Amino acid sequence: MTVDSTGEPLIVEGLSLALDIGGVQLNALRDVSFSLRPGEARGLVGESGSGKSLTLRAILGLLPPNARITSGRMVVAGQEFDLTRTDRDHRRRIARLRGAQIAMIFQEPGVALNPVVPVGRQIVDAVARRNGLTKRAAREYALHLMELVGIHDAAAKIDAYPFELSGGLKQRVMIAAAVAGEPQLILCDEPTTALDVTVQKQILSLFTHLRDELHASLLYVTHDLAVVAQLCDSVTVLYSGEVMESSDDLRAVFDGAQHPYTEALLHSTPDVDRIEQRLYSIPGSAASLSDRTDGCQFAPRCEYARDDCRTGSIPDTSGTPGRVVRCLHKVGAPADGVPVGGIDG
Amino acid sequence: MLRWFARRLLLAIPVVWGVVTISFFMMHLAPGDPARTALGEKASNASVAALRHQWGLDQSMPLQYLNYLKQLVHGDLGTSVYYHAPITSLMAQRLPVTIILVVLSAILTMLISVPLASRSATHPNGIAAVAVRLFNAVVQGAPTFFIGAMLILFLGVRIAIFPAGGYPADIGGRAWALVLPALTIALGTVPIMVRGLRAAMIESYGSEYVAFARSKGLPERPIRYGYVLRNAGISGVSILGIQVGALASGALVIEQVFAIPGMGSMLMTGILNRDYALVQACTLVFGLLVVVVYLGTDLAYARLDPRARLS
Amino acid sequence: MTATDAAAIARTAITPPSRKSRVWAPAWMRRHNLQLWIGAGMLGLMVLAAIFAPLIAPHDPTTPDAAHALLPVSADHLFGTDNLGRDIFSRVVYGARSDLTIAIVAVVAPFVIGLAFGIVSGYFGGWFDSIMMRLADIVTAFPFFILVIALVFLMGNGALSIFIAITCVSWVAYARLVRGEAMVLRNKEFVAACQASGISTIGILVRHFVPNVVSQAIVYAMSDIVMNVGVIVTLSYLGLGITPPTPDWGSMMAGGQQFLAGGFYGMTLFPAGAVIWTSLALSFLGDGLTHQLRIDR
């Protein structure tokens, strides 16, 4: 197994996924593609139900039993994977990535740690097994990692059980366990959502710190664009299991969102500078799995939508490398003489 | 931990008191006269009265109760009319046999249930899972003694691997003789245990902590043992704790079927010979045994689940 | 908390036992709730056999006929004959009469007592509840069977003492089950609404609590009947229940056991089959009822 350190730590191409719900196949992800450069932090943004978490779990082969990948390939450090395969050999190859190449931090530290095993052991159990560490060395390493993630009295906490720690500490433990195998890529599944606001800030700055320290890439799933602005270099916006807009340069999106959905998301993000403004809220509610339609998924809620948005698949219209905009009537682009926002969906 | 257990012990005291009291009143409020029954219809009134006096049955109920408690504190369970011996010394011979039988059947229950539950949890549509369901459906309806009779027929008579009954004098022979009875008792509990364990394991396999363990790159084997079984084992232990009453009940019947000289067969002897003191003592000891096992379950539970030590 | 905390935790985790599926059934069976109908059919057959035993049984179940002992299965003797030459089929049919009757009737008293105590305990809580639950702990401290046997011993053999013994022991399960449901109901808004509109406490309990908790208790009763069949059959097997010559599955199996080694299986297998048939029927029925309740809710 050769590790190509110069190659992209992760490329995902054309990932589509169906969920079996009560015997009905529903498309949860459709043609999702993105990639990460070494050391890059990409935000994967969307409302709940947009398929962000499923995307992460698909990468690690940790999908629930009712999920089936219908198309898609990925490249991790030079190794290629056909994600539709389910055979033993493929599962082994994916399993070998876990922890060593790609690690994941879960949303709820309260339920993602084994309740009956001390946290110190959970931080290093996988690594110790992989690298054949002695008990003593493993413990030392656990202490080191706990300090790395900012647990100050690590020696006092190493034998604690998860239920004895606060949410923030548990999340730090999980981060320590994730970085234990020195992965090149860390998938973060809304790691601060379940935490108090003050703790969220600390964890976010821990991520910034860890990125510099470990030179790892981050794929950061969140519904909060403010977090993306603080932490990420690039962004991919998902809606109803499809990529709406994507950019290798975060500023390009924040300064000039081209997809109406991204624009709406930006408007609905609280901004300290505009505190007295009322927050914008997107009309309607996020499409549920069974509502998936032909054409643009966002069309039913889009101010700019026209008839052509409701048929076929929407191509990338950005025209710029490193940028994807799946929209026929981009924000700020006058098309066919129809005034922007002129026709209401 | 010590304080926690001390509190548990304190809480068990009213239950122990209740068990003692019920065993007392059960026998003393019962219709009929134990002394008359013991001596038979033909005995003279004078000899019955003498026996009543000897047993203290001519005293007032509260006084009898106090005497009963006093005797118990001194480890005196009374005298068996049938065996003409102090019950405490009879217990000393019989109780270990039953305890070994129950412990053995508990071990067998786990040895059978864990692999079955584990297999049917990971392969819910596999052959093992279907076999387990069919087995459960049939076994849970069959009376224990029938299962025992079938095991004797097939493993004791047709393919004579195990003795068909009895309890030889040598240790090795005894151990061998207890296998089939223990297996019979275990089979009665296995369906309940498999169902409970399987549900707990399926829940555990679907949990976030298992997903996270996998994401760390922990292989399936340590996940199965250190995560899934470790967590499901907690409910396994409590199911076993609750089932100990059923195991003891099973022992009572199965000791009859296999002619094992334990507590159960002593209780039956007492019943068939209308030996009140013996029946009372056996009932009491069985009750106390279960209370002790419940305490043991609490202890095991606390060892397995750190969260339990909090409350 | 009780002295048996772990047990209590597990109890809440696995009870009510009836909520868990007890019998294996394929998915298509579940979808149409066929278990309910299969269970009802199987039980119905057994109940019909019990009711019309004199019409169904081709031979007298009690008269010995030494000339026809240990006959194999034939058209005249569907299940063969036993060591005394009695027709096994007739005895199994009559056995349904004695065993099923006691098993079903013995459910009624614990059901009613458990329901009443459970509702009162769950609704009022307080000292009454504490005493009830402590009493329940003490009763369950004795192994079920041992308590039943001791009680039957005290009161003498026969159906009445079996009734009383079973009642003394098995009301606890109903009380615990119902108490749990009543505690949930107590905090519902309609209770406050009823109180506000001046309905008496007894009125609330009878009109609103009983209908709400009774369904779970009925489902549990199905598995309780199974347990009762087991108790009666085992008591008879041990010689403490229904006494010969009255036909009963337990004493039939007890009599047949010594002939197993000689290759005469019928005396044991047919009554055993009847027991398994009955408990399978009741398990299906319990599962089906649970399923139906879930649909109805």
Side-chain angles (χ1 to χ4, degrees):
Chain A
M1 198 170 79
T2 54
V3 176
D4 182 4
S5 56
T6 55
E8 264 102 347
L10 176 69
I11 302 171
V12 172
E13 261 178 28
L15 174 64
S16 298
L17 186 151
L19 286 179
D20 180 324
I21 292 169
V24 185
Q25 300 285 322
L26 301 169
N27 293 320
L29 291 177
R30 254 194 288 194
D31 197 18
V32 172
S33 305
F34 55 85
S35 65
L36 275 98
R37 287 158 299 175
E40 179 183 342
R42 178 173 289 269
L44 199 56
V45 184
E47 291 164 279
S48 52
S50 59
K52 302 164 298 188
S53 300
L54 276 176
T55 310
L56 295 193
R57 290 188 185 224
I59 293 169
L60 277 181
L62 295 175
L63 289 168
N66 65 333
R68 195 169 53 86
I69 295 175
T70 49
S71 76
R73 63 184 273 275
M74 79 173 181
V75 181
V76 177
Q79 296 183 72
E80 183 158 349
F81 296 87
D82 175 0
L83 289 175
T84 57
R85 281 173 59 179
T86 53
D87 55 295
R88 203 189 183 87
D89 188 47
H90 170 78
R91 290 205 309 267
R92 274 215 191 115
R93 281 181 69 212
I94 292 261
R96 243 180 262 136
L97 294 177
R98 296 183 198 141
Q101 296 280 338
I102 307 176
M104 180 160 161
I105 294 158
F106 285 52
Q107 183 170 5
E108 291 204 36
V111 295
L113 292 172
N114 189 342
V116 296
V117 172
V119 291
R121 273 191 11 223
Q122 295 193 57
I123 292 175
V124 288
D125 55 1
V127 180
R129 180 169 278 272
R130 208 160 38 229
N131 301 344
L133 296 185
T134 62
K135 251 198 163 123
R136 195 201 197 108
R139 199 179 164 83
E140 296 275 300
Y141 188 42
L143 280 171
H144 164 74
L145 287 167
M146 288 171 83
E147 273 156 20
L148 179 75
V149 297
I151 301 176
H152 300 299
D153 44 354
K157 296 283 193 288
I158 188 165
D159 293 318
Y161 290 95
F163 76 93
E164 294 171 316
L165 301 181
S166 68
L169 272 179
K170 272 184 276 200
Q171 194 54 281
R172 284 177 198 270
V173 165
M174 192 142 67
I175 295 168
V179 300
E182 296 176 333
Q184 313 228 307
L185 170 62
I186 301 172
L187 312 177
C188 306
D189 187 2
E190 305 215 29
T192 61
T193 320
L195 304 175
D196 292 340
V197 185
T198 45
V199 186
Q200 278 185 23
K201 288 211 169 116
Q202 295 167 13
I203 298 287
L204 279 179
S205 57
L206 173 64
F207 275 118
T208 322
H209 169 70
L210 283 178
R211 262 190 72 193
D212 300 339
E213 191 105 334
L214 305 169
H215 310 293
S217 310
L218 286 183
L219 182 58
Y220 197 99
V221 157
T222 179
H223 60 271
D224 188 351
L225 277 173
V227 171
V228 175
Q230 192 181 334
L231 195 65
C232 299
D233 313 310
S234 55
V235 66
T236 297
V237 178
L238 281 180
Y239 182 82
S240 273
E242 286 182 9
V243 173
M244 298 283 121
E245 181 159 9
S246 180
S247 172
D248 289 354
D249 178 14
L250 187 72
R251 288 260 61 97
V253 171
F254 272 68
D255 295 342
Q258 295 189 358
H259 197 289
Y261 177 60
T262 318
E263 190 197 30
L265 265 187
L266 281 169
H267 278 307
S268 57
T269 303
D271 189 334
V272 232
D273 304 334
R274 299 181 295 170
I275 198 98
E276 62 285 358
Q277 270 185 2
R278 267 187 166 242
L279 274 182
Y280 176 79
S281 77
I282 306 172
S285 56
S288 75
L289 268 179
S290 49
D291 295 338
R292 304 275 143 116
T293 52
D294 213 17
C296 177
Q297 299 300 329
F298 187 58
R301 296 169 73 191
C302 182
E303 295 177 48
Y304 306 89
R306 286 186 241 153
D307 288 345
D308 52 352
C309 295
R310 296 188 179 88
T311 48
S313 76
I314 311 295
D316 174 16
T317 56
S318 81
T320 336
R323 184 98 193 236
V324 174
V325 182
R326 286 213 168 132
C327 183
L328 299 175
H329 310 283
K330 287 184 286 191
V331 181
D336 309 335
V338 179
V340 167
I343 293 174
D344 227 342
Chain B
M1 185 73 185
L2 213 66
R3 260 194 59 203
W4 173 87
F5 191 64
R7 242 190 71 212
R8 281 289 174 287
L9 267 178
L10 273 177
L11 283 168
I13 288 174
V15 179
V16 168
W17 172 78
V19 167
V20 168
T21 306
I22 284 196
S23 69
F24 171 82
F25 280 109
M26 225 164 63
M27 293 300 153
H28 284 79
L29 295 179
D33 177 359
R36 165 66 66 192
T37 319
L39 294 175
E41 292 304 318
K42 278 170 265 168
S44 71
N45 283 340
S47 55
V48 170
L51 190 64
R52 283 183 64 86
H53 179 71
Q54 192 197 323
W55 285 353
L57 292 175
D58 50 353
Q59 288 166 325
S60 71
M61 194 67 88
L63 211 59
Q64 286 188 46
Y65 180 60
L66 280 180
N67 281 337
Y68 181 66
L69 291 184
K70 218 184 282 170
Q71 281 185 346
L72 282 185
V73 171
H74 291 103
D76 181 3
L77 291 167
T79 310
S80 161
V81 180
Y82 177 75
Y83 289 103
H84 301 291
I87 296 174
T88 314
S89 61
L90 291 171
M91 284 288 172
Q93 299 163 19
R94 301 298 193 106
L95 189 58
V97 179
T98 299
I99 290 179
I100 292 171
L101 185 60
V102 168
V103 169
L104 203 59
S105 56
I107 293 172
L108 280 176
T109 301
M110 289 320 261
L111 283 182
I112 299 169
S113 303
V114 169
L116 285 181
S118 166
R119 184 75 195 169
S120 55
T122 46
H123 300 78
N125 296 314
I127 297 169
V130 174
V132 163
R133 286 163 171 169
L134 285 174
F135 170 82
N136 278 2
V138 174
V139 163
Q140 73 187 356
T144 331
F145 60 85
F146 172 70
I147 298 174
M150 287 296 115
L151 285 178
I152 291 179
L153 178 63
F154 288 109
L155 297 175
V157 178
R158 291 280 175 269
I159 318 163
I161 310 172
F162 298 99
Y167 197 60
D170 61 304
I171 303 261
R174 284 184 173 180
W176 204 231
L178 285 180
V179 173
L180 271 196
L183 182 64
T184 312
I185 301 171
L187 285 182
T189 322
V190 162
I192 299 162
M193 182 62 80
V194 169
R195 237 192 328 265
L197 272 183
R198 184 181 56 202
M201 290 176 81
I202 287 174
E203 194 191 325
S204 187
Y205 268 118
S207 72
E208 285 286 278
Y209 60 78
V210 164
F212 182 60
R214 285 180 175 145
S215 83
K216 290 189 296 190
L218 203 63
E220 281 304 304
R221 218 164 156 40
I223 286 178
R224 183 185 308 152
Y225 293 109
Y227 282 67
V228 175
L229 271 180
R230 184 77 169 61
N231 279 284
I234 294 170
S235 31
V237 163
S238 19
I239 297 172
L240 201 61
I242 297 171
Q243 286 302 314
V244 82
L247 292 179
S249 297
L252 167 81
V253 180
I254 284 315
E255 282 177 12
Q256 292 302 110
V257 178
F258 285 86
I260 305 277
M263 285 268 297
S265 52
M266 187 156 78
L267 174 59
M268 283 311 295
T269 312
I271 284 174
L272 296 176
N273 298 290
R274 306 215 65 80
D275 189 337
Y276 278 78
L278 193 58
V279 174
Q280 182 179 35
C282 287
T283 317
L284 174 69
V285 170
F286 266 122
L288 294 180
L289 209 61
V290 172
V291 176
V292 170
V293 171
Y294 278 175
L295 275 175
T297 313
D298 280 354
L299 205 59
Y301 201 94
R303 275 220 57 76
L304 284 173
D305 190 346
R307 290 163 295 184
R309 283 170 232 158
L310 265 188
S311 55
Chain C
M1 275 314 248
T2 65
T4 57
D5 214 29
I9 292 168
R11 223 177 278 130
T12 48
I14 61 167
T15 46
S18 44
R19 285 226 173 120
K20 287 259 153 71
S21 164
R22 313 199 111 245
V23 192
W24 169 70
W28 60 269
M29 226 158 121
R30 293 194 182 284
R31 206 164 301 139
H32 301 282
N33 205 6
L34 277 183
Q35 301 123 282
L36 183 68
W37 302 112
I38 292 177
M42 285 171 71
L43 187 69
L45 224 57
M46 207 43 112
V47 170
L48 284 181
I51 294 172
F52 297 107
L55 299 177
I56 296 168
H59 299 271
D60 184 275
T62 47
T63 320
D65 177 8
H68 296 97
L70 293 170
L71 288 181
V73 170
S74 67
D76 189 31
H77 298 286
L78 275 178
F79 291 174
T81 61
D82 68 4
N83 57 319
L84 299 176
R86 295 171 297 193
D87 180 47
I88 295 177
F89 178 72
S90 307
R91 287 179 64 74
V92 167
V93 168
Y94 271 93
R97 218 170 211 205
S98 25
D99 289 332
L100 268 190
T101 314
I102 301 180
I104 293 172
V105 175
V107 155
V108 178
F111 185 96
V112 173
I113 295 173
L115 198 71
F117 278 160
I119 287 180
V120 172
S121 209
Y123 181 81
F124 291 105
W127 62 268
F128 183 81
D129 183 47
S130 309
I131 292 176
M132 287 315 299
M133 286 304 110
R134 221 44 76 234
L135 191 58
D137 282 343
I138 292 165
V139 171
T140 39
F142 292 100
F144 181 80
F145 225 87
I146 281 145
L147 200 51
V148 170
I149 283 185
L151 289 169
V152 169
F153 159 71
L154 289 175
M155 294 177 287
N157 293 9
L160 185 65
S161 26
I162 296 179
F163 284 145
I164 297 175
I166 289 178
T167 306
C168 284
V169 182
S170 66
W171 65 273
V172 175
Y174 291 97
R176 280 201 172 126
L177 183 76
V178 168
R179 171 181 175 262
E181 303 232 328
M183 283 171 80
V184 176
L185 280 179
R186 183 181 52 183
N187 297 322
K188 291 266 166 75
E189 273 175 26
F190 77 84
V191 176
C194 287
Q195 282 164 341
S197 58
I199 299 173
S200 70
T201 306
I202 293 176
I204 296 174
L205 292 186
V206 171
R207 249 180 290 164
H208 296 287
F209 276 55
V210 171
N212 271 302
V213 298
V214 82
S215 53
Q216 275 306 321
I218 290 174
V219 171
Y220 177 74
M222 295 302 128
S223 49
D224 199 31
I225 299 177
V226 176
M227 204 138 80
N228 287 349
V229 172
V231 168
I232 294 155
V233 166
T234 309
L235 281 175
S236 307
Y237 174 84
L238 294 173
L240 298 171
I242 300 159
T243 39
T246 310
D248 145 82
W249 298 331
S251 49
M252 284 174 79
M253 284 186 264
Q257 206 184 323
Q258 52 184 310
F259 296 94
L260 277 175
F264 301 104
Y265 301 132
M267 285 176 70
T268 310
L269 285 188
F270 288 114
V275 175
I276 295 173
W277 173 280
T278 309
S279 55
L280 262 182
L282 286 160
S283 303
F284 273 134
L285 201 57
D287 261 11
L289 281 178
T290 316
H291 193 71
Q292 198 63 44
L293 286 174
R294 214 177 289 143
I295 294 170
D296 291 348
R297 265 181 193 178

